Structure formats: C-alpha cells, structure tokens
Amino acid sequence: DRQAYTSALESFVLLERRALALRQTDLLCDAQRGQAKALLELGRPQPALQAAQAAIAGAGADAMGQIAALRVMADIHTRHNLPPPTDMREARAALHYLQQALDTAASMENYLVPGDLYADLAREHAKLGSMAKAYELSLQANRAWQTIHSTEAHNRANAMQVNHEIEKVRAEAVHQRQLAQVHAERADALVQAKATLEQLGEIGREITASLDTDAIFSTLYRHVHALLDVTLFAIDRLESDGMALRTVFGMERGQPLPPHHYRIDDAQGHAARCARERAVLVVGARTALFAPLQVGERLLGIMTVQCIHPRAYTERDVAIFRTLSAYVSIALANNEAQMRLVQSQKLASLGRMVAGVSHALNTPLDIGLMAVSTLRDSLQTFEQAVSTSGLKRQTLDTFVGAVQEGSMLALRSLERGASLVQSFKQVAVDHRVAARRVFLVSD
C-alpha cells in the first residue's frame, strides 16, 4: 500500500518460508501471489509470471485462492507483452485468465462474483472491439455492486467468510497438533465474531424493515447500548442545501440532547470533518466515533457515539459501528424512497381527480354553450327578418319558441353544472369537517 515493493517482496519471501515450514498451503498460495504482485510493480514480469503460476497451481481446491491468483496473472499479461498460455481459448491472454477466474467464481455455491471482475472482463472485451459483450459485462458489474450494498448480501458474505475461516482453523488444528491451543483460541475468537455478525444481521433486518425514522433511531439506540459502551449517541441529518447538518436524534446519559445545527465547513467540528472526508473517524484517544451515513456517493448524515472512558473503542467496536452506520444509511434511503413514492401517488391521485371533475363539468357546460350559441343565431336571424320584411306574426312566434327552448336548455345545463360544483364543494368540506348531514343511501 505504501508502494515499498522491495520490502513487500522480502516479506512475502519470508512468508513463503514460514508456510513451507508449517506445511500450510493457503499461506503458501498467499505468499506466492503477493510475490507476483510485488515483482510486477518492480518491473520484473517474467519472475512475476512464474510466481503467479505457482500460486495458481498451489491453490488446489481453494477456489478463492485460484480466483485471486488468476486475476494477478491477467494483470501481468495486461501490463506486459508475454508469451500466451498454450491452452489459451481467448483472443488475449489477460482475457483468458479473467474468464477462468469468472468460471471458477460461477461454480462456487452462494458466492457473489465481484463486480470488479466483471468490469475487468468488460475492459478486455472493449479492447478487442466486442462492445456488445463489454456492455453486457458492465451491466453485470453494476448489478453485482448494487447487490453487495444490500443487507442480505452483506450478511450472507460475512457468514460465508466466517464459516470459511472456522473450517480453515479446524483443518489446521487436525494437521498441527502442536499448535492446538493457538488454533483453539483462534476458533473461539471466530465463533465470537460469527455470533456478533449474526446479532448485527438481526439488528440490520429490524432497522431496515421500518420506514419510520423515529422507530429506526429508537431501535438503533437500544441496540447500540447492547454492543458498545455509549455515553452519548446522536444522528445528524444533512440539510437540503447540502452545506449544514442538523441533529435529529440525540441522547446523553439517557436524556434527550437539545437540537444542534452546524455547517460542514466547520474546521473545528469532528462531525463536520467526517462529513467532508466521508470516512469513519476515531478521535479523542478512542473515546468517540463518527461515521458518515451515505448510500453510494450521496451523504445522508452523520452518526456519533462517545464514551467517557479512555480507549473505550477497539478495532472490533469500530467495525461494528461501521456496520451499524451502513444499516442506518439503507434504512434512511428506504424512508426517502417511500416518501417520494407517496408524493408521486398523491400527485397521480390529484391528476385523476382533476380529470374526473373536468369531465363531469364539461358536458353541462358544452350543452349550455351550444344553447346560448343557438340563441345568438336565432337573434341574428330575427333581426335580419325584421329589417328586411318587417315584423310578422310567424317570425315572432318562431323567435319566441327558439328563445324559450334555448333558454330552458341553457338553464338546465347551468343548474346541472352548479349542482356538480356544490357536490364537489360538499366533498371537500367533508374532508375538513365532521358535520352531520342526511343523504339517501340508494342515490
């Protein structure tokens, strides 16, 4: 990580000797794969290739080790022009090894293929001009990354990793009797970790099952006390302007905290710094933890726990706190999504209601408009007849009949429209007031 590749190579060589002395194939595979990475960064592709080949061969039935070693091999061929393997089935050596890694991952039961493996395959196909295949793999990578963020996938991956570690400890204990006590302690630690993970899984399901923020915060506060030593607990939400944080839930020694508002650019505040850096902060001699609540790149807020005892929080506590913050982020994101859904449903209902009202009023208004237009035409005809040939009895009778019929039709239409308006007003009043009124059930 510090790019001290020479020191890294020396450490991996020592690890290889240790693994050979202990006859531990998993450590040996890790050492060889690490040597291959270090040699690649040092510009020594041929020795790196040999080390990666040894890691693949030594992985044996360890599918995870095979996948990691195959990806290192693909990286070597991507960065250096080396002779391709004799059994190559793809157009490029890097694509050949990445496809082998994908096939191995797909054969593992309940194993989630990493999104970056799909992404590496997509890049290789893009280099060959296979854009359709590259696009398909990019979609698979996106789906894999989205699944990883879900609680169910997170719990399943953690449980599978813990089970893998427990089985590895048990296998080592069978082959290494002289280290039985060490392995037993390690197994106990892993069992404890598994129990903690299972408890976190239950907490996660309980938190994410609720869409009410008050219920989410209350549930979280109850469980935090069972997992961590907490004197103060607070949840700060990001304001709509994205420049400030506001305390929406806070408890100190069992008493509610007063509302607090502060800007993200506050140079002195730890929570503001956590919001800017988007990373978990451990401050005050391990007496306070700050974690960003975010989904993807979107910041939702900050979660804080503090304790009066020095060095209250261990690495295990930090991991638990980080997991809890992830659960809260998912729950808050679900809450926001539900609020947007409800709002969209309200707007859709309003649109349907407006359309219904418009349709109901349109008919009487059209009839009334037609009647008035007919009256206007009759008036023009009457005026023209009087001006040309004088007023005749038949002309007058015809005009009076048209006026009576048209005015009656317009009156009925207007009364119908007024009745509808009154009905709509009555419905609106019913939503606001609980007034008693009489109505006919049959109507």
Side-chain angles (χ1 to χ4, degrees), residues 21 98 101 114 120 205 209-210 226 283 296 302 314 371 421 431:
L98 288 173
D120 291 343
R205 281 188 287 272
S210 175
V283 299
I302 300 297
T314 64
V421 171
H431 279 290

mmCIF file of all heavy atoms in Angstrom, residues 21 98 101 114 120 205 209-210 226 283 296 302 314 371 421 431:
data_model
loop_
_atom_site.group_PDB
_atom_site.id
_atom_site.type_symbol
_atom_site.label_atom_id
_atom_site.label_comp_id
_atom_site.label_asym_id
_atom_site.label_seq_id
_atom_site.Cartn_x
_atom_site.Cartn_y
_atom_site.Cartn_z
ATOM 1 N N ALA A 21 7.477 -24.334 6.069
ATOM 2 C CA ALA A 21 7.850 -24.988 7.327
ATOM 3 C C ALA A 21 6.626 -25.531 8.052
ATOM 4 O O ALA A 21 6.678 -26.608 8.662
ATOM 5 C CB ALA A 21 8.605 -24.002 8.218
ATOM 6 N N LEU A 98 -8.893 -14.031 -16.965
ATOM 7 C CA LEU A 98 -10.074 -13.445 -16.325
ATOM 8 C C LEU A 98 -11.308 -14.325 -16.528
ATOM 9 O O LEU A 98 -12.134 -14.480 -15.622
ATOM 10 C CB LEU A 98 -10.332 -12.047 -16.887
ATOM 11 C CG LEU A 98 -9.360 -10.952 -16.456
ATOM 12 C CD1 LEU A 98 -9.630 -9.665 -17.212
ATOM 13 C CD2 LEU A 98 -9.435 -10.714 -14.951
ATOM 14 N N ALA A 101 -11.110 -17.114 -14.122
ATOM 15 C CA ALA A 101 -11.495 -16.659 -12.787
ATOM 16 C C ALA A 101 -13.017 -16.566 -12.667
ATOM 17 O O ALA A 101 -13.607 -16.958 -11.655
ATOM 18 C CB ALA A 101 -10.847 -15.307 -12.478
ATOM 19 N N PRO A 114 -17.462 -10.829 -7.759
ATOM 20 C CA PRO A 114 -17.165 -9.403 -7.552
ATOM 21 C C PRO A 114 -17.466 -8.576 -8.797
ATOM 22 O O PRO A 114 -17.225 -9.022 -9.929
ATOM 23 C CB PRO A 114 -15.660 -9.401 -7.219
ATOM 24 C CG PRO A 114 -15.333 -10.799 -6.819
ATOM 25 C CD PRO A 114 -16.272 -11.682 -7.571
ATOM 26 N N ASP A 120 -13.296 -5.818 -15.179
ATOM 27 C CA ASP A 120 -12.039 -6.148 -15.860
ATOM 28 C C ASP A 120 -12.312 -6.897 -17.161
ATOM 29 O O ASP A 120 -11.685 -6.631 -18.202
ATOM 30 C CB ASP A 120 -11.157 -6.996 -14.942
ATOM 31 C CG ASP A 120 -10.623 -6.212 -13.754
ATOM 32 O OD1 ASP A 120 -10.675 -4.966 -13.814
ATOM 33 O OD2 ASP A 120 -10.175 -6.831 -12.772
ATOM 34 N N ARG A 205 -31.779 -6.316 9.927
ATOM 35 C CA ARG A 205 -33.114 -6.624 9.410
ATOM 36 C C ARG A 205 -34.193 -5.829 10.141
ATOM 37 O O ARG A 205 -35.178 -5.376 9.542
ATOM 38 C CB ARG A 205 -33.374 -8.128 9.528
ATOM 39 C CG ARG A 205 -32.720 -8.956 8.437
ATOM 40 C CD ARG A 205 -33.178 -10.400 8.487
ATOM 41 N NE ARG A 205 -32.602 -11.103 9.616
ATOM 42 C CZ ARG A 205 -31.429 -11.720 9.589
ATOM 43 N NH1 ARG A 205 -30.701 -11.696 8.486
ATOM 44 N NH2 ARG A 205 -30.972 -12.369 10.643
ATOM 45 N N ALA A 209 -36.268 -2.863 8.189
ATOM 46 C CA ALA A 209 -37.665 -3.246 7.959
ATOM 47 C C ALA A 209 -38.622 -2.092 8.220
ATOM 48 O O ALA A 209 -39.776 -2.133 7.804
ATOM 49 C CB ALA A 209 -38.037 -4.435 8.846
ATOM 50 N N SER A 210 -38.157 -1.047 8.920
ATOM 51 C CA SER A 210 -39.024 0.079 9.273
ATOM 52 C C SER A 210 -38.802 1.233 8.316
ATOM 53 O O SER A 210 -37.676 1.470 7.862
ATOM 54 C CB SER A 210 -38.740 0.524 10.717
ATOM 55 O OG SER A 210 -39.495 1.682 11.026
ATOM 56 N N ALA A 226 -26.322 -2.272 23.671
ATOM 57 C CA ALA A 226 -26.019 -3.678 23.898
ATOM 58 C C ALA A 226 -24.693 -4.083 23.272
ATOM 59 O O ALA A 226 -24.091 -5.080 23.682
ATOM 60 C CB ALA A 226 -27.144 -4.549 23.328
ATOM 61 N N VAL A 283 -11.576 9.451 17.326
ATOM 62 C CA VAL A 283 -10.923 10.625 17.900
ATOM 63 C C VAL A 283 -10.924 10.523 19.420
ATOM 64 O O VAL A 283 -11.576 9.656 20.017
ATOM 65 C CB VAL A 283 -11.634 11.929 17.454
ATOM 66 C CG1 VAL A 283 -11.587 12.082 15.946
ATOM 67 C CG2 VAL A 283 -13.079 11.936 17.916
ATOM 68 N N GLY A 296 -24.050 4.991 -1.677
ATOM 69 C CA GLY A 296 -23.236 5.326 -2.835
ATOM 70 C C GLY A 296 -22.387 6.547 -2.511
ATOM 71 O O GLY A 296 -21.659 6.578 -1.526
ATOM 72 N N ILE A 302 -24.654 12.024 9.617
ATOM 73 C CA ILE A 302 -23.525 11.545 10.423
ATOM 74 C C ILE A 302 -24.079 10.839 11.659
ATOM 75 O O ILE A 302 -25.052 11.299 12.265
ATOM 76 C CB ILE A 302 -22.618 12.716 10.862
ATOM 77 C CG1 ILE A 302 -22.046 13.445 9.633
ATOM 78 C CG2 ILE A 302 -21.474 12.207 11.733
ATOM 79 C CD1 ILE A 302 -21.150 12.605 8.769
ATOM 80 N N THR A 314 -12.373 -0.498 20.549
ATOM 81 C CA THR A 314 -11.360 -1.306 19.883
ATOM 82 C C THR A 314 -11.636 -1.343 18.377
ATOM 83 O O THR A 314 -12.625 -0.783 17.892
ATOM 84 C CB THR A 314 -11.362 -2.729 20.451
ATOM 85 O OG1 THR A 314 -12.642 -3.340 20.152
ATOM 86 C CG2 THR A 314 -11.172 -2.711 21.962
ATOM 87 N N ALA A 371 -76.514 25.953 -26.399
ATOM 88 C CA ALA A 371 -77.818 26.609 -26.324
ATOM 89 C C ALA A 371 -77.677 28.107 -26.503
ATOM 90 O O ALA A 371 -78.462 28.743 -27.233
ATOM 91 C CB ALA A 371 -78.476 26.279 -24.985
ATOM 92 N N VAL A 421 -70.814 21.490 -8.988
ATOM 93 C CA VAL A 421 -69.876 22.306 -8.194
ATOM 94 C C VAL A 421 -70.216 22.210 -6.716
ATOM 95 O O VAL A 421 -69.337 22.065 -5.852
ATOM 96 C CB VAL A 421 -69.889 23.763 -8.681
ATOM 97 C CG1 VAL A 421 -69.102 24.653 -7.720
ATOM 98 C CG2 VAL A 421 -69.302 23.855 -10.084
ATOM 99 N N HIS A 431 -64.010 16.466 4.017
ATOM 100 C CA HIS A 431 -62.642 16.106 4.386
ATOM 101 C C HIS A 431 -62.126 16.945 5.544
ATOM 102 O O HIS A 431 -61.182 16.559 6.214
ATOM 103 C CB HIS A 431 -61.707 16.286 3.176
ATOM 104 C CG HIS A 431 -61.769 15.134 2.221
ATOM 105 N ND1 HIS A 431 -61.278 13.891 2.519
ATOM 106 C CD2 HIS A 431 -62.291 15.050 0.971
ATOM 107 C CE1 HIS A 431 -61.479 13.073 1.503
ATOM 108 N NE2 HIS A 431 -62.093 13.744 0.550
#
